[in-house]
Amino acid sequence: QVQLVQSGGGLVQAGNSHGLSCAASGRTLSSVAVGWFRQAPGKEREFVAAIIWNGGVTDYADSVKGRFTVSRDTAKNTVYLQMNNLKPEDTAVYYCAARLQFTTTISVRSDRYDNWGQGTQVTVSS
């Protein structure tokens, strides 16, 4: 098991940048994948980005590709989501999640992930 604690939500103007953090405790994130998902009111939870802890392979949703960057700090057991050129349609509750089963490929399915952070609201104003 791993506990994920998120920070970094807030109100941001369109076109600006913002960052989110997801700190893990209880165990290290070795041999797992960490994904970022988001959910807007009235919409399904959608995949945003993910990273394989060992090796650093990443993947991004088409809607954020070129604007968002996912990274990790192994010493701090923390993953980050850097969001650039934010748009109003990026407004959502953002979640980080850990996939504990060893994998070398990214999954965009939320049901493949085992432990979830508490979520944090990101609101982008126009």
Side-chain angles (χ1 to χ4, degrees), residues 24-38:
S25 63
R27 57 159 289 177
T28 67
L29 293 174
S30 298
S31 301
V32 302
V34 178
W36 289 94
F37 295 80
R38 66 187 183 186

PDB file of all heavy atoms in Angstrom, residues 24-38:
ATOM      1  N   ALA A  24       4.302  10.522  -1.776  1.00  0.00           N
ATOM      2  CA  ALA A  24       3.967   9.173  -1.359  1.00  0.00           C
ATOM      3  C   ALA A  24       4.590   8.857  -0.006  1.00  0.00           C
ATOM      4  O   ALA A  24       5.712   9.276   0.295  1.00  0.00           O
ATOM      5  CB  ALA A  24       4.438   8.156  -2.389  1.00  0.00           C
ATOM      6  N   SER A  25       3.852   8.108   0.797  1.00  0.00           N
ATOM      7  CA  SER A  25       4.359   7.616   2.070  1.00  0.00           C
ATOM      8  C   SER A  25       3.884   6.185   2.275  1.00  0.00           C
ATOM      9  O   SER A  25       2.991   5.706   1.578  1.00  0.00           O
ATOM     10  CB  SER A  25       3.903   8.498   3.228  1.00  0.00           C
ATOM     11  OG  SER A  25       2.490   8.485   3.349  1.00  0.00           O
ATOM     12  N   GLY A  26       4.470   5.511   3.249  1.00  0.00           N
ATOM     13  CA  GLY A  26       4.113   4.132   3.529  1.00  0.00           C
ATOM     14  C   GLY A  26       5.009   3.120   2.837  1.00  0.00           C
ATOM     15  O   GLY A  26       5.260   2.054   3.383  1.00  0.00           O
ATOM     16  N   ARG A  27       5.458   3.452   1.684  1.00  0.00           N
ATOM     17  CA  ARG A  27       6.388   2.640   0.918  1.00  0.00           C
ATOM     18  C   ARG A  27       6.939   3.489  -0.206  1.00  0.00           C
ATOM     19  O   ARG A  27       6.380   4.530  -0.553  1.00  0.00           O
ATOM     20  CB  ARG A  27       5.745   1.377   0.366  1.00  0.00           C
ATOM     21  CG  ARG A  27       4.526   1.626  -0.514  1.00  0.00           C
ATOM     22  CD  ARG A  27       4.234   0.460  -1.425  1.00  0.00           C
ATOM     23  NE  ARG A  27       5.234   0.344  -2.481  1.00  0.00           N
ATOM     24  CZ  ARG A  27       5.268  -0.626  -3.390  1.00  0.00           C
ATOM     25  NH1 ARG A  27       4.366  -1.590  -3.355  1.00  0.00           N
ATOM     26  NH2 ARG A  27       6.210  -0.645  -4.313  1.00  0.00           N
ATOM     27  N   THR A  28       8.016   3.041  -0.787  1.00  0.00           N
ATOM     28  CA  THR A  28       8.561   3.724  -1.944  1.00  0.00           C
ATOM     29  C   THR A  28       7.727   3.413  -3.179  1.00  0.00           C
ATOM     30  O   THR A  28       6.913   2.488  -3.190  1.00  0.00           O
ATOM     31  CB  THR A  28      10.020   3.336  -2.185  1.00  0.00           C
ATOM     32  OG1 THR A  28      10.083   1.962  -2.572  1.00  0.00           O
ATOM     33  CG2 THR A  28      10.854   3.534  -0.933  1.00  0.00           C
ATOM     34  N   LEU A  29       7.948   4.190  -4.222  1.00  0.00           N
ATOM     35  CA  LEU A  29       7.217   4.009  -5.468  1.00  0.00           C
ATOM     36  C   LEU A  29       7.998   3.184  -6.487  1.00  0.00           C
ATOM     37  O   LEU A  29       7.693   3.232  -7.680  1.00  0.00           O
ATOM     38  CB  LEU A  29       6.852   5.368  -6.053  1.00  0.00           C
ATOM     39  CG  LEU A  29       5.837   6.176  -5.241  1.00  0.00           C
ATOM     40  CD1 LEU A  29       5.658   7.562  -5.846  1.00  0.00           C
ATOM     41  CD2 LEU A  29       4.510   5.445  -5.171  1.00  0.00           C
ATOM     42  N   SER A  30       8.964   2.437  -6.027  1.00  0.00           N
ATOM     43  CA  SER A  30       9.736   1.605  -6.934  1.00  0.00           C
ATOM     44  C   SER A  30       8.841   0.603  -7.650  1.00  0.00           C
ATOM     45  O   SER A  30       7.950  -0.001  -7.051  1.00  0.00           O
ATOM     46  CB  SER A  30      10.833   0.863  -6.174  1.00  0.00           C
ATOM     47  OG  SER A  30      11.741   1.767  -5.577  1.00  0.00           O
ATOM     48  N   SER A  31       9.072   0.445  -8.944  1.00  0.00           N
ATOM     49  CA  SER A  31       8.386  -0.540  -9.780  1.00  0.00           C
ATOM     50  C   SER A  31       6.876  -0.309  -9.886  1.00  0.00           C
ATOM     51  O   SER A  31       6.100  -1.253  -9.984  1.00  0.00           O
ATOM     52  CB  SER A  31       8.668  -1.962  -9.266  1.00  0.00           C
ATOM     53  OG  SER A  31      10.045  -2.238  -9.262  1.00  0.00           O
ATOM     54  N   VAL A  32       6.449   0.948  -9.859  1.00  0.00           N
ATOM     55  CA  VAL A  32       5.050   1.290 -10.044  1.00  0.00           C
ATOM     56  C   VAL A  32       4.942   2.409 -11.072  1.00  0.00           C
ATOM     57  O   VAL A  32       5.922   3.046 -11.436  1.00  0.00           O
ATOM     58  CB  VAL A  32       4.361   1.712  -8.738  1.00  0.00           C
ATOM     59  CG1 VAL A  32       4.449   0.598  -7.697  1.00  0.00           C
ATOM     60  CG2 VAL A  32       4.970   3.003  -8.196  1.00  0.00           C
ATOM     61  N   ALA A  33       3.713   2.620 -11.516  1.00  0.00           N
ATOM     62  CA  ALA A  33       3.402   3.761 -12.360  1.00  0.00           C
ATOM     63  C   ALA A  33       2.559   4.749 -11.569  1.00  0.00           C
ATOM     64  O   ALA A  33       1.752   4.359 -10.724  1.00  0.00           O
ATOM     65  CB  ALA A  33       2.661   3.318 -13.621  1.00  0.00           C
ATOM     66  N   VAL A  34       2.735   6.015 -11.837  1.00  0.00           N
ATOM     67  CA  VAL A  34       1.934   7.057 -11.219  1.00  0.00           C
ATOM     68  C   VAL A  34       1.246   7.845 -12.317  1.00  0.00           C
ATOM     69  O   VAL A  34       1.904   8.328 -13.239  1.00  0.00           O
ATOM     70  CB  VAL A  34       2.775   7.983 -10.332  1.00  0.00           C
ATOM     71  CG1 VAL A  34       1.896   9.092  -9.753  1.00  0.00           C
ATOM     72  CG2 VAL A  34       3.434   7.195  -9.210  1.00  0.00           C
ATOM     73  N   GLY A  35      -0.065   7.954 -12.203  1.00  0.00           N
ATOM     74  CA  GLY A  35      -0.854   8.661 -13.195  1.00  0.00           C
ATOM     75  C   GLY A  35      -1.522   9.886 -12.615  1.00  0.00           C
ATOM     76  O   GLY A  35      -1.731   9.996 -11.403  1.00  0.00           O
ATOM     77  N   TRP A  36      -1.840  10.813 -13.492  1.00  0.00           N
ATOM     78  CA  TRP A  36      -2.647  11.979 -13.162  1.00  0.00           C
ATOM     79  C   TRP A  36      -3.953  11.893 -13.942  1.00  0.00           C
ATOM     80  O   TRP A  36      -3.941  11.666 -15.160  1.00  0.00           O
ATOM     81  CB  TRP A  36      -1.924  13.278 -13.499  1.00  0.00           C
ATOM     82  CG  TRP A  36      -0.769  13.596 -12.604  1.00  0.00           C
ATOM     83  CD1 TRP A  36       0.545  13.296 -12.810  1.00  0.00           C
ATOM     84  CD2 TRP A  36      -0.831  14.293 -11.358  1.00  0.00           C
ATOM     85  NE1 TRP A  36       1.308  13.761 -11.768  1.00  0.00           N
ATOM     86  CE2 TRP A  36       0.485  14.376 -10.860  1.00  0.00           C
ATOM     87  CE3 TRP A  36      -1.869  14.854 -10.612  1.00  0.00           C
ATOM     88  CZ2 TRP A  36       0.791  15.002  -9.650  1.00  0.00           C
ATOM     89  CZ3 TRP A  36      -1.568  15.468  -9.410  1.00  0.00           C
ATOM     90  CH2 TRP A  36      -0.256  15.538  -8.943  1.00  0.00           C
ATOM     91  N   PHE A  37      -5.051  12.075 -13.230  1.00  0.00           N
ATOM     92  CA  PHE A  37      -6.378  12.094 -13.817  1.00  0.00           C
ATOM     93  C   PHE A  37      -7.085  13.367 -13.391  1.00  0.00           C
ATOM     94  O   PHE A  37      -6.697  14.007 -12.410  1.00  0.00           O
ATOM     95  CB  PHE A  37      -7.190  10.868 -13.370  1.00  0.00           C
ATOM     96  CG  PHE A  37      -6.642   9.559 -13.864  1.00  0.00           C
ATOM     97  CD1 PHE A  37      -5.568   8.958 -13.237  1.00  0.00           C
ATOM     98  CD2 PHE A  37      -7.210   8.926 -14.958  1.00  0.00           C
ATOM     99  CE1 PHE A  37      -5.059   7.754 -13.685  1.00  0.00           C
ATOM    100  CE2 PHE A  37      -6.710   7.715 -15.416  1.00  0.00           C
ATOM    101  CZ  PHE A  37      -5.630   7.136 -14.782  1.00  0.00           C
ATOM    102  N   ARG A  38      -8.126  13.730 -14.108  1.00  0.00           N
ATOM    103  CA  ARG A  38      -8.915  14.885 -13.720  1.00  0.00           C
ATOM    104  C   ARG A  38     -10.387  14.630 -14.011  1.00  0.00           C
ATOM    105  O   ARG A  38     -10.737  13.843 -14.881  1.00  0.00           O
ATOM    106  CB  ARG A  38      -8.445  16.159 -14.438  1.00  0.00           C
ATOM    107  CG  ARG A  38      -8.664  16.166 -15.938  1.00  0.00           C
ATOM    108  CD  ARG A  38      -8.003  17.390 -16.559  1.00  0.00           C
ATOM    109  NE  ARG A  38      -8.245  17.469 -17.993  1.00  0.00           N
ATOM    110  CZ  ARG A  38      -7.679  18.373 -18.792  1.00  0.00           C
ATOM    111  NH1 ARG A  38      -6.834  19.268 -18.287  1.00  0.00           N
ATOM    112  NH2 ARG A  38      -7.958  18.375 -20.092  1.00  0.00           N
TER     113      ARG A  38
END
